[in-house]
Amino acid sequence: MKKVLFFACLLCGAFAFTSCDDDEVAKKYEVKVTVSADGADLASLQDLSVKCMNQSGNVEASTSETEYIYKLVAGTYTVQGSASNDEFNFLGEETFTVADQDMAVSLKLTPAPKAKSGLIFKEIYYTGVPSYYFKDGFYELVNNSDEVQYLDGILFTQIDRGYGDEGSNWMDSLGNKPKDFYPLDGYVFQFPGSGKEYPVEPGQSIVIASQAYNHGSTGTDPRELTEEDAESPAGDLSTADWELNIPSKPTNYDNPNVPSLNIVWSNATTICFFGVFGFPLCIAQVPEGYASVEEFVNDSINYNSYAGGKPKLCIPTSAVIDAVDVQRHGESKIVKVFWPTEDAGYTYATGADPSDPEYSTDFESWISPSYTGKSVRRKCTMVTESGRAYFKDTNNSTEDFILGGQTAVVRRQFTQPD
């Protein structure tokens, strides 16, 4: 009997030691999670949510109402965070391991645009400089998404606004503009490539030059700025990514070091000149149902005309990727071309308003206040810590662009939002 009691005591002692070991394993450590948002003040964000989960997916409760502090046993955990503002969703996730001490974890939320955004116009310079120089235009596109985009096959062109101020000869007798298509004008360019030859990384921009040579005073390439002309803000465009080369025009200059966009259709008789008074500009994809742009261009169903006009190639509204309606001035009465799904507003560069007392045009010398050296450029909504800039894209250029324009800058850099 004594032996039985002795062994029972030994078992109880062993059990007691085992219980102590279990308590040691179950010890909890304090983990403090500090949350920040890349490119934004965390206090300005809405619907901030942070949760900590163990490997089984069970959510751990914070021990503090004002901070994210958790009491956790040793193991591996994942903390997730989310927040938002008017234009961005912010998301973040960190996995960490608790070992044998208290610890701190940093959780950074990174932004992603709420609205679908891909390749969009970042800056459009079209106004030239006094007295009559306009070959220094450039058009900058940017990948405003968080995924790689491709230039391959994308069309670059302007829309025919038609004639008239408050109306347009493209309108019917009831004043309705075409609903399902946009008539094209001038030149229709296309980026080469068979699918994924010309990637544009997130945040990367590309510059298309009207004439890819040096338009500055120190330029050695062919140029036509005279002593009477102001200095072009475009400067040296010989480093542009693409150019609008028109081989059939004797005044055209082809930079052999800059690839040219392909011309797939044209009704123009001059070099590519979008006009200092404004124009509706767009990038588009080859419409669905066509294996190639040639097939699209050669299909007679894609041609329309207004009364008394010649047929023009038209593109379905559904094919438009991004559109910007550039008007002549802020009080313009020119009819809008785009439907709100493509561009609900318009933008402009100051200097071409006939109501301005200083407005005058001397047609003998072609000195015009429209030649301002200004561009229209998209508003920057956020700059991340890595220097990545995001741009406003609501399909309303009145809201998305700096109205009145600014002095043009090629590959403009941003250190803070507008």
Side-chain angles (χ1 to χ4, degrees):
M1 184 68 177
K2 291 181 179 180
K3 291 182 179 180
V4 172
L5 290 173
F6 176 75
F7 283 113
C9 291
L10 287 177
L11 288 173
C12 289
F15 181 78
F17 282 118
T18 303
S19 297
C20 291
D21 290 342
D22 286 344
D23 288 342
E24 189 69 29
V25 172
K27 181 178 180 180
K28 293 186 176 182
Y29 302 92
E30 183 177 282
V31 177
K32 182 177 182 180
V33 178
T34 302
V35 185
S36 63
D38 191 358
D41 180 5
L42 193 67
S44 68
L45 302 182
Q46 306 162 0
D47 304 321
L48 176 61
S49 171
V50 176
K51 62 181 180 180
C52 179
M53 298 174 293
N54 59 29
Q55 286 183 295
S56 299
N58 298 320
V59 178
E60 305 284 350
S62 173
T63 61
S64 171
E65 293 183 358
T66 57
E67 296 180 283
Y68 303 101
I69 299 176
Y70 303 90
K71 291 290 187 177
L72 305 175
V73 299
T76 299
Y77 298 84
T78 298
V79 62
Q80 296 177 338
S82 63
S84 65
N85 59 19
D86 291 342
E87 296 184 33
F88 294 88
N89 289 320
F90 291 79
L91 300 173
E93 180 176 294
E94 286 291 337
T95 298
F96 60 94
T97 299
V98 178
D100 56 359
Q101 60 183 352
D102 297 342
M103 62 185 298
V105 175
S106 296
L107 175 64
K108 179 170 289 186
L109 308 184
T110 57
K114 283 184 176 179
K116 183 180 179 181
S117 189
L119 286 172
I120 57 175
F121 287 99
K122 174 186 172 184
E123 187 153 351
I124 302 170
Y125 170 53
Y126 62 98
T127 58
V129 293
S131 56
Y132 185 52
Y133 187 75
F134 52 80
K135 295 182 179 180
D136 56 344
F138 68 83
Y139 316 90
E140 189 168 354
L141 304 177
V142 64
N143 179 1
N144 203 45
S145 76
D146 292 322
E147 298 178 353
V148 177
Q149 303 290 322
Y150 295 90
L151 296 173
D152 302 55
I154 287 179
L155 306 176
F156 173 69
T157 186
Q158 70 175 357
I159 308 300
D160 181 20
R161 196 189 299 277
Y163 298 101
D165 289 337
E166 297 187 10
S168 168
N169 45 6
W170 280 100
M171 290 180 171
D172 61 22
S173 58
L174 299 178
N176 299 315
K177 58 188 177 184
K179 183 178 181 180
D180 300 321
F181 67 85
Y182 295 121
L184 306 182
D185 196 30
Y187 292 93
V188 178
F189 297 95
Q190 185 184 40
F191 287 92
S194 58
K196 294 186 176 181
E197 296 179 40
Y198 300 101
V200 184
E201 298 296 327
Q204 180 185 354
S205 66
I206 62 108
V207 174
I208 306 168
S210 180
Q211 299 272 289
Y213 55 83
N214 193 336
H215 300 270
S217 59
T218 59
T220 57
D221 294 328
R223 57 195 295 276
E224 295 180 6
L225 277 171
T226 68
E227 293 181 357
E228 297 178 354
D229 291 322
E231 181 71 11
S232 168
D236 187 1
L237 287 177
S238 65
T239 59
D241 300 291
W242 300 88
E243 72 171 340
L244 306 179
N245 177 30
I246 316 295
S248 61
K249 305 305 173 186
T251 56
N252 178 73
Y253 170 72
D254 178 21
N255 186 335
N257 299 316
V258 178
S260 301
L261 272 65
N262 300 324
I263 301 172
V264 296
W265 181 85
S266 174
N267 68 339
T269 58
T270 64
I271 62 171
C272 181
F273 174 46
F274 288 116
V276 297
F277 301 125
F279 44 82
L281 197 64
C282 80
I283 53 174
Q285 57 192 356
V286 175
E288 291 185 5
Y290 293 96
S292 67
V293 69
E294 291 79 14
E295 185 178 328
F296 165 66
V297 170
N298 292 328
D299 190 345
S300 60
I301 199 174
N302 295 316
Y303 289 79
N304 293 279
S305 64
Y306 54 78
K310 295 181 178 180
K312 290 189 174 182
L313 179 65
C314 300
I315 194 163
T317 56
S318 59
V320 173
I321 297 172
D322 190 43
V324 181
D325 191 349
V326 184
Q327 298 262 349
R328 181 171 180 175
H329 52 79
E331 299 300 321
S332 179
K333 299 296 183 182
I334 299 174
V335 66
K336 272 193 57 57
V337 170
F338 296 115
W339 291 95
T341 49
E342 281 72 61
D343 186 1
Y346 65 88
T347 186
Y348 59 88
T350 54
D353 189 347
S355 65
D356 190 321
E358 297 182 1
Y359 180 90
S360 64
T361 302
D362 181 355
F363 285 101
E364 291 184 1
S365 63
W366 286 98
I367 296 176
S368 167
S370 299
Y371 290 81
T372 61
K374 291 184 177 181
S375 65
V376 293
R377 63 99 170 162
R378 198 175 288 268
K379 295 176 183 176
C380 175
T381 56
M382 179 183 296
V383 180
T384 66
E385 294 175 7
S386 65
R388 162 76 188 275
Y390 286 93
F391 299 91
K392 195 172 182 68
D393 180 21
T394 66
N395 289 341
N396 184 336
S397 55
T398 302
E399 299 294 329
D400 295 347
F401 281 74
I402 301 292
L403 299 182
Q406 296 179 325
T407 300
V409 176
V410 183
R411 306 185 198 278
R412 189 187 301 268
Q413 299 297 306
F414 296 85
T415 57
Q416 60 185 17
D418 291 304

